[in-house]
Amino acid sequence: KAGVTQTPRYLIKTRGQQVTLSCSPISGHRSVSWYQQTPGQGLQFLFEYFSETQRNKGNFPGRFSGRQFSNSRSEMNVSTLELGDSALYLCASSRGSSGTDTQYFGPGTRLTVL
Amino acid sequence: KQEVTQIPAALSVPEGENLVLNCSFTDSAIYNLQWFRQDPGKGLTSLLLIQSSQREQTSGRLNASLDKSSGRSTLYIAASQPGDSATYLCAVPFSYGGSQGNLIFGKGTKLSVKP
């Protein structure tokens, strides 16, 4: 069974640009969650999608947005990039709710903002 | 507000030693607790999930225990190997209105097992 895949694996952008990250969950999983990981803050929750609906959103500015498609694939978008957005972005999928079922994480997308 | 703490932040042990990693949480009304492993620059790998009704879970050389009343969980690694070197994170779900949401993570314990 294929795991969670994320594309691209690495990205370099400059301040002010926007970026779109993609996540393909494990087949049959309906929940996709996104997390930002930085050395200082650790793992912080961005948002969760379940059956194309946003279930939860973390405490991030509106520049961070996401969506989920009917095949459960998810994308997140960051507009007007700032230096502080440099981080490892991880997505995780689960069969049911992110809080009740085992979470399976992808390898992450390393975003560097110059 | 739920907070998850892991102490120590880093641990170095010789190969073959048995070790315990600690995780504490401030709100004991958790639905479950998960332990993950993260290798440098990689994603997280789920190790064990303990439901709130369980006291412990085992997988190979790993044993995780849960004491909700004291707000603590431990991950016991038997006969450690250099391949166990990684950062270990624990996480609990955010509870709201009877539902379970996103995971709240500790900062992790970075384990180094020396040959």
Side-chain angles (χ1 to χ4, degrees):
Chain A
K1 196 181 206 180
V4 178
T5 58
Q6 292 186 245
T7 56
R9 292 293 312 279
Y10 302 92
L11 267 177
I12 300 176
K13 293 285 187 179
T14 56
R15 278 182 300 174
Q17 288 187 308
Q18 75 164 17
V19 66
T20 298
L21 312 181
S22 180
C23 172
S24 293
I26 292 172
S27 177
H29 285 193
R30 294 160 64 189
S31 169
V32 174
S33 299
W34 288 89
Y35 293 85
Q36 180 195 67
Q37 186 177 33
T38 58
Q41 298 298 317
L43 275 150
Q44 292 186 287
F45 170 71
L46 282 158
F47 24 67
E48 178 191 3
Y49 287 88
F50 187 89
S51 296
E52 300 180 68
T53 300
Q54 187 179 87
R55 264 188 98 224
N56 277 313
K57 190 177 193 306
N59 190 26
F60 278 82
R63 300 185 296 107
F64 291 82
S65 63
R67 58 178 176 169
Q68 186 180 33
F69 302 96
S70 58
N71 62 359
S72 292
R73 190 177 71 83
S74 178
E75 288 182 347
M76 68 163 280
N77 183 276
V78 188
S79 62
T80 319
L81 284 166
E82 300 177 359
L83 295 178
D85 297 333
S86 294
L88 180 66
Y89 290 87
L90 295 162
C91 83
S93 76
S94 58
R95 189 171 298 278
S97 162
S98 64
T100 57
D101 290 353
T102 298
Q103 293 275 280
Y104 296 89
F105 281 77
T109 294
R110 172 74 63 184
L111 172 64
T112 302
V113 182
L114 303 176
Chain B
K1 179 189 171 190
Q2 179 72 272
E3 292 183 2
V4 180
T5 304
Q6 293 184 250
I7 296 173
L11 182 63
S12 182
V13 300
E15 182 178 4
E17 195 163 290
N18 301 325
L19 61 100
V20 173
L21 304 180
N22 298 297
C23 171
S24 61
F25 42 94
T26 53
D27 185 349
S28 62
I30 60 169
Y31 188 83
N32 58 43
L33 184 144
Q34 295 187 53
W35 282 94
F36 295 88
R37 166 189 173 136
Q38 185 175 30
D39 293 285
K42 302 282 182 65
L44 279 66
T45 300
S46 178
L47 297 173
L48 290 163
L49 183 151
I50 313 177
Q51 300 292 351
S52 62
S53 58
Q54 297 176 311
R55 291 300 299 260
E56 62 180 58
Q57 275 278 25
T58 298
S59 176
R61 294 182 294 108
L62 305 179
N63 176 279
S65 68
L66 176 63
D67 184 345
K68 280 181 56 178
S69 61
S70 67
R72 292 181 181 178
S73 175
T74 61
L75 180 66
Y76 174 83
I77 302 177
S80 58
Q81 304 170 356
D84 294 330
S85 297
T87 296
Y88 291 80
L89 300 110
C90 67
V92 297
F94 170 69
S95 295
Y96 60 102
S99 297
Q100 309 303 319
N102 55 278
L103 295 180
I104 301 170
F105 285 86
K107 292 285 180 70
T109 293
K110 185 175 181 179
L111 173 66
S112 176
V113 181
K114 305 293 186 185

